[in-house]
Amino acid sequence: MANHKIAILRGDGIGPEITNAAIGVLDAVASRFDHTFEYSFPLIGGEAIDREGAPLPQSTIDECLKSDAVLLGAVGGPKWDNLAGHLRPEKGLLGIRSAMGLYANVRPAVLYDELKGASPLKNDILKNGVDITVVRELTGGIYFGERGYKDGPLGRVAYDTEAYSIKEVERVAHIAFQIAQGRKKKVTSVDKANVLESSRLWRAAVERVAKDYKDVELVNMYVDNCAMQLVKNPAQFDVILTSNMFGDILSDEAAMLTGSIGLLPSSSLGDGKRGLYEPIHGSAPDIAGTDTANPIATILAAAMMLSTSFGLYDETACIENAVRKVLAKGLRTPDIAGFGGRKVGCEKMGEEIAHAVLNLK
Ligand code: IPM
Ligand code: MG
């Protein structure tokens, strides 16, 4: 019997609906396996701006640091799009990643057989499957580099800078190689070393880390080529290791290959066991409050949390099996309903998965 404190950052748009569904599933796990999960609900993003005047109140950081793990819905929406950069909801997410020291963002992109029809790729490109884990550096690079405004010969200039230290690259590289050891033992490190100085440092640091993992193959690839290879031959990839900016872009591309962005979870990790777990998709303000969002990515993020942060492996497997069972039964939220099955809403999907958690043999 375990007892864990979980901070739930509901956020904006569909955030509250999808995190509610995940809580229902966590409660089912708690009851089946005799655990206690204690939830708190700190504010982040647009909701925090509206109620406290800032996207990441100090009380939210404190609460997250006191918790054993954090589950996040999503942040952002058109209502806050015209605010200054440091006041936008997205700044809340970047701030909590940084405050918690979560430098490695792990984003698996897996093609589910039942949903092959949802992939935009042709069948013959998919014949060897898609099973890629993107490991994205999360607290450095151009997202956190020096930025500002200055005057230039052509007038006002805005700038953002990409900077990486050897240490920042090495620590995220270790995580990528360790994940690869548990998979197909291949790391593709993606950079732009033909142009960027920061990428040349990146490549050299990754090559040094690779020497500690003799059983893992390292391939270096330029980011433009990687964008192309992902749609040409996705089966060549196992773990993709890359910078914050390139990882933001490539992880969306990899997720889309599976056609099921509503199904993919991600985790953000640092040195300890405390992580932040969230769906890969965003806050979908256009469908917020309509009970049509797909809660599966958030439910699978909660599943990832149980094994990665709490060491509860059977419980993770139980949620994953429950999701598979409900999909196999043909239940579909609207985003994946085009491919057969019975249409259900967000709440019903969550309830069905919770029910399966309680009743799986
Ligand atoms: C992501 C998102 C965020 C990012 C935004 C919302 C700040 O796109 O998690 O990929 O760029 O990291
Ligand atoms: Mg993104």
Side-chain angles (χ1 to χ4, degrees):
M1 163 165 181
N3 191 338
H4 291 287
K5 236 174 109 44
I6 305 169
I8 310 272
L9 301 176
R10 289 186 285 222
D12 310 313
I14 58 172
E17 304 159 55
I18 55 181
T19 46
N20 266 345
I23 289 172
V25 173
L26 285 171
D27 285 342
V29 168
S31 135
R32 173 166 184 162
F33 293 86
D34 200 18
H35 300 312
T36 309
F37 299 138
E38 214 185 293
Y39 311 112
S40 65
F41 298 93
L43 300 177
I44 195 168
E47 199 197 2
I49 295 171
D50 289 351
R51 289 172 51 186
E52 311 237 332
L56 183 65
Q58 183 60 43
S59 55
T60 295
I61 299 178
D62 295 344
E63 189 58 43
C64 290
L65 291 175
K66 269 197 313 201
S67 303
D68 300 317
V70 180
L71 183 67
L72 172 93
V75 295
K79 183 174 170 195
W80 306 281
D81 271 352
N82 295 320
L83 294 173
H86 68 288
L87 280 177
R88 290 179 59 110
E90 290 79 1
K91 197 73 192 173
L93 180 54
L94 299 177
I96 195 67
R97 288 171 178 168
S98 174
M100 293 176 68
L102 306 174
Y103 54 79
N105 183 212
V106 181
R107 300 187 159 184
V110 184
L111 182 72
Y112 283 73
D113 268 346
E114 296 94 329
L115 299 176
K116 257 195 178 148
S119 171
L121 293 188
K122 291 190 198 119
N123 268 335
D124 71 310
I125 294 182
L126 295 173
K127 63 179 184 294
N128 295 321
V130 179
D131 182 359
I132 303 169
T133 289
V134 178
V135 178
R136 166 191 178 194
E137 199 290 325
L138 202 60
T139 51
I142 199 167
Y143 272 60
F144 290 89
E146 195 187 313
R147 74 189 61 201
Y149 287 88
K150 61 185 178 189
D151 289 316
L154 298 177
R156 197 129 172 83
V157 177
Y159 63 94
D160 301 271
T161 48
E162 168 95 354
Y164 269 115
S165 66
I166 294 173
K167 168 92 191 146
E168 281 176 307
V169 180
E170 284 177 351
R171 63 187 185 181
V172 70
H174 278 289
I175 293 203
F177 279 94
Q178 283 157 18
I179 290 174
Q181 281 183 321
R183 294 174 44 98
K184 283 176 270 167
K185 300 192 167 48
K186 178 173 177 185
V187 169
T188 305
S189 174
V190 176
D191 61 39
K192 189 72 184 174
N194 49 346
V195 178
L196 303 178
E197 213 51 59
S198 54
S199 279
R200 288 190 271 272
L201 178 143
W202 178 282
R203 190 174 280 213
V206 171
E207 282 173 349
R208 275 196 304 274
V209 170
K211 295 202 166 73
D212 295 349
Y213 301 88
K214 292 262 176 342
D215 54 332
V216 178
E217 179 195 1
L218 169 66
V219 174
N220 289 305
M221 193 179 274
Y222 295 138
V223 62
D224 48 349
N225 185 28
C226 181
M228 179 175 79
Q229 295 298 331
L230 274 170
V231 289
K232 199 174 149 211
N233 176 17
Q236 73 184 282
F237 295 102
D238 177 22
V239 173
I240 291 179
L241 163 65
T242 191
S243 66
N244 206 342
M245 181 82 255
F246 295 159
D248 181 44
I249 300 164
L250 295 175
S251 63
D252 267 27
E253 187 185 356
M256 193 59 222
L257 300 182
T258 71
S260 41
I261 191 148
L263 264 55
L264 302 176
S266 82
S267 61
S268 302
L269 309 169
D271 283 331
K273 287 257 166 252
R274 188 191 299 115
L276 182 147
Y277 301 83
E278 60 181 309
I280 274 188
H281 60 72
S283 62
D286 51 322
I287 59 163
T290 61
D291 192 34
T292 49
N294 187 344
I296 293 182
T298 316
I299 289 169
L300 291 174
M304 258 179 143
M305 169 177 78
L306 296 181
S307 49
T308 310
S309 281
F310 307 159
L312 301 174
Y313 296 94
D314 291 348
E315 290 77 347
T316 297
C318 178
I319 297 181
E320 289 172 352
N321 289 336
V323 167
R324 234 169 271 132
K325 182 166 174 208
V326 167
L327 285 176
K329 244 169 81 179
L331 298 192
R332 298 283 186 272
T333 43
D335 56 313
I336 48 177
F339 314 95
R342 180 158 70 86
K343 230 182 184 169
V344 293
C346 177
E347 196 180 333
K348 176 82 177 149
M349 182 60 106
E351 283 167 8
E352 288 281 338
I353 295 168
H355 183 78
V357 162
L358 289 172
N359 294 293
L360 272 181
K361 289 283 169 297

